[in-house]
């Protein structure tokens, strides 16, 4: 069978919008992930036993179940259970964001473990209260040291967004499914979709590596 | 609202079949993935350009497109070239070649983590490349490769859930199936989440026993597929 | 706000104010006893140098004074405030006691100026302009007024340690603790830090310094405390301490340190 990209490309507008939607969903989910991850990190280091246990269970659940199942649980189970009717968009973003949050928490934990003990001591010796120590001294350094990993995490999030096609979000994968069902040209359409994903993820991860190389600005 | 146990219990055969298929797919795809990983890694660290660059292209391609797209391409596009694979076969093939790229990166990371002095010593003894890689370097990889490798394998088990989208009757598909019959989404999806969790936790415990003295690098997660 | 210093230590006047009072203090790491029956009284404007072999517990001792380490029994009273579990007391003591560390521990993500502003603004609730004026004054005092906008990593080790001193001074502490402030420095930078410390001593700051710099001890200290194996072995004015040490362990230590 000969490839007919020239026929498909003029019709590939939906793929472009799908790609934008993917990026949009990915960005929001990543934001949710960073927020959740930071929360988990703080809870993990809390003096309350209950919070620390919760973080353990949460991490175990996220790492022990497929992202697809998490999305389905969010979409099908959470709304009837809580009585709040969240649409597929919110459910999808929440599921991906909460998934990412557990991994962001791991990344941040790695960063935290590399903060020298002296930073805590100096901050405490100055009499700074706990909250200030975390938000002014420790977290800025943790985030700075893990920026490349967080960028990488963004590509991870992009790579799980295709799963949202199962809950009817028209992101890039769903858009391409619709397009090849219409054109009967899965080879060309899927190749284009793969290329778009590749361009997005590859450029982001290269950017992350670039950051990694020059992230030595203010190391002691 | 009550939890409808009967819906799950009456359809236990479907679930059991699903679990069986999930385990089958994972435990065929993981070893093949490791094998592919070793080969690609060898090519990747080789100095011959004809091996080096294709390996990089393969790794980067696999790492930068979502697995679902790969699965769809295999399943929907290959038939146009006269290659018609069953869903299950597509599953094995996709998961292993996808996982293979990640395993290759893990092995490469391991080779780079082996102290340079080991290579120098092996070369100084006059050992040949193939020989010292096989007898000196690879045996030392274990420590560096096991924790992130476990992560990749674990992710492959989880990723097998994507095959439900091409109607492979694994665990997630089983849930859709049961839900379609009984309209009990909460029960079914909660149940399979629990089953996945048990499979993964048991897997981690087993591998944990194999590597009791190896420390998990907390950053290895960032390399894992999900 | 200008700190009013208590009257100078003068043996003939009535008793000067006690700044740090440690009584029968013991500290354990699990079963291991790191500090045994420590008794130490430091008066206002006194300069104490603590020395001893490594592992003798001298750093641990001064870290107990601002509760970076917990002690198990005995009492520590700092500037009239008893050091207990009470978080309020700990916070109050920490804002009265400045500390400099061996590894400087400047905050690498903040500029020199921001390092100095952080505590006065958030602990003392000072306005930015007041805190900045204060910071400039102390940066000038440690002789690095023109580096305020740089990041710590752009400074030499000696400069970093002087910034750390300025940062501590910005809280206008009544006591300064120095934990081996020159040990991590290249030899050519040690003097600039010691000079800063000497100047501080001349101005009447109450200081407790853990250091191996015996020259500094001789020149500045009112009292030298020698520690070994978690105990205070000897405590004397520098003249007696260096000229006529009583304890055998002190003699041995001094022989080793002063040999070259």
């Amino acid at each position: 069978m000969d490839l007919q990209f020239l026929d498909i490309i003029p019709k590939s507008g939906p793929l472009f919008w799908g790609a934008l939607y993917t990026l949009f969903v990915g960005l929001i989910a990543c934001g949710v992930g960073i927020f959740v991850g930071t929360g988990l990190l703080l809870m993990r280091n809390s003096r309350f036993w209950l919070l620390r246990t919760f973080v353990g269970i949460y991490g175990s659940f996220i790492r022990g179940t497929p992202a697809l199942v998490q999305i389905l649980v969010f979409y099908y189970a959470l709304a009837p259970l809580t009585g709040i009717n969240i649409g597929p968009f919110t459910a999808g973003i929440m599921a991906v964001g909460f998934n990412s949050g557990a991994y962001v928490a791991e990344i941040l934990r790695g960063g935290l473990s590399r903060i020298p003990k002296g930073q805590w001591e100096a901050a405490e010796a100055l009499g700074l209260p706990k909250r200030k120590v975390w938000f002014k001294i420790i977290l800025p350094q943790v985030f700075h040291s893990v920026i490349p990993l967080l960028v990488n995490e963004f590509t991870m999030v992009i790579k799980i967004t295709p799963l949202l096609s199962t809950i009817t979000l028209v992101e890039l994968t769903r858009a391409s499914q619709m397009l090849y069902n219409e054109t009967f040209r899965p080879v060309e359409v899927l190749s284009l979709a793969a290329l778009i994903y590749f361009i997005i993820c590859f450029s982001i991860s290269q950017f992350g590596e670039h950051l990694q190389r020059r992230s030595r600005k203010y190391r002691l | 609202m009550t939890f409808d146990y009967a819906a799950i219990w009456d359809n236990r055969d479907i679930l059991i079949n699903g679990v069986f298929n999930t385990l089958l797919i994972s435990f065929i795809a993981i070893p093949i993935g490791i094998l592919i990983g070793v080969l690609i890694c060898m090519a990747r660290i080789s100095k011959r350009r004809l091996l080096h660059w294709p390996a990089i292209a393969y790794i980067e391609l696999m790492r930068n497109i979502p697995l679902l797209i790969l699965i769809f391409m295999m399943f929907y596009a290959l038939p146009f070239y006269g290659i018609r694979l069953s869903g299950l076969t597509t599953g094995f093939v996709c998961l292993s070649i996808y996982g293979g790229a990640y395993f290759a990166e893990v092995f490469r990371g391991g080779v780079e983590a082996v102290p340079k002095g080991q290579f120098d010593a092996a070369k100084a003894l006059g050992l040949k490349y193939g020989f010292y890689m096989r007898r000196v370097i690879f045996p030392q990889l274990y420590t560096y490769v096991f924790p992130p490798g476990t992560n990749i394998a674990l992710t492959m088990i989880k990723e097998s859930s994507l095959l439900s989208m091409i109607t492979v009757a694994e665990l997630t598909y089983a849930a859709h199936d049961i839900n379609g019959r009984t309209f009990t989404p909460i029960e079914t999806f909660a149940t399979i989440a629990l089953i996945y969790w048990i499979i993964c936790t048991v897997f981690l415990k087993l591998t944990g026993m194999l590597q009791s003295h190896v420390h998990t690098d907390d950053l290895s997660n960032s390399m894992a597929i999900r | 706000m200008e700190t009013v210093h208590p009257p100078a230590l003068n043996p003939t006047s009535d008793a000067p104010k006690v700044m740090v009072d440690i009584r029968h203090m013991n500290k354990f790491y699990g079963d291991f006893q790191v500090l045994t029956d420590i008794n130490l009284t430091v008066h206002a404007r006194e300069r104490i140098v603590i020395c001893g072999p490594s592992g003798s517990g001298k750093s641990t001792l001064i870290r107990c004074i601002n509760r970076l380490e917990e002690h198990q029994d005995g009492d520590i009273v700092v500037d009239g405030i008893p050091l207990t579990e009470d978080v309020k007391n700990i916070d109050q003591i920490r804002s009265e006691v400045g500390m400099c560390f061996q590894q400087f521990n400047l905050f690498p993500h903040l500029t020199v100026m921001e390092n100095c502003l952080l505590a006065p603004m958030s602990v003392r609730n000072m306005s930015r302009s007041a805190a900045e004026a204060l910071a400039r004054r102390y940066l000038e005092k440690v002789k690095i007024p023109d580096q305020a906008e740089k990041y710590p990593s752009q400074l030499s080790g000696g400069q970093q340690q002087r910034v750390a001193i300025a940062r501590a001074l910005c809280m206008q502490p009544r006591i300064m603790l120095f934990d081996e402030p020159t040990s991590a420095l290249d030899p050519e930078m040690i003097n600039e830090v010691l000079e800063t410390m000497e100047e501080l001593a001349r101005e009447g700051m109450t200081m407790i310094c853990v250091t191996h710099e015996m020259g500094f001890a001789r020149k500045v200290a009112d009292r030298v405390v020698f520690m070994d194996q978690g105990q205070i072995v000897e405590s004397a004015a520098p003249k007696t301490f260096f000229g006529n040490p009583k304890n055998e362990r002190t003699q041995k230590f001094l022989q080793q340190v002063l040999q070259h």
Side-chain angles (χ1 to χ4, degrees), chain A residues 64-178:
Chain A
T65 55
L68 178 59
V69 173
Q70 290 159 19
I71 290 169
L72 293 172
V73 166
F74 244 90
Y75 185 58
Y76 287 112
L78 222 59
L81 270 184
T82 55
I84 311 162
N85 196 6
I86 50 174
F89 179 75
T90 319
I93 293 223
M94 287 298 162
V96 176
F98 284 165
N99 174 290
S100 174
Y103 292 89
V104 170
E106 282 294 299
I107 291 172
L108 294 180
R109 185 165 74 102
L112 182 67
S113 70
R114 284 187 297 276
I115 302 290
K117 209 168 134 249
Q119 292 292 312
W120 291 95
E121 290 176 348
E124 279 173 25
L126 283 171
L128 294 175
K130 258 256 140 36
R131 169 188 290 268
K132 289 258 161 75
V133 177
W134 270 107
F135 285 95
K136 298 249 163 159
I137 307 296
I138 303 302
L139 282 181
Q141 293 186 58
V142 169
F143 271 101
H144 183 267
S145 72
V146 300
I147 285 172
L149 294 175
L150 289 180
V151 171
N152 192 43
E153 176 62 23
F154 182 51
T155 69
M156 293 293 171
V157 168
I158 294 288
K159 279 189 283 178
I160 46 177
T161 54
L163 307 187
L164 296 176
S165 62
T166 41
I167 57 168
T168 72
L169 289 195
V170 190
E171 39 65 69
L172 181 49
T173 302
R174 180 108 181 123
S176 54
Q177 276 177 308
M178 286 157 78

Side-chain angles (χ1 to χ4, degrees), chain A residues 1 60 63 153 159 166, chain B residues 63 102 158 165 197 226:
Chain A
M1 180 192 129
S60 176
R63 296 190 50 173
E153 176 62 23
K159 279 189 283 178
T166 41
Chain B
R63 294 215 315 165
Y102 285 85
K158 292 189 279 175
M165 299 211 195
W197 183 81
R226 247 172 257 160

Side-chain angles (χ1 to χ4, degrees), chain B residues 163-184:
Chain B
L163 298 174
S164 64
M165 299 211 195
I166 53 166
T167 67
V168 176
E170 47 67 73
L171 189 50
T172 307
Y173 187 80
H176 281 295
D177 192 356
I178 297 172
N179 184 34
R181 292 161 198 242
T182 59
F183 303 107
T184 50

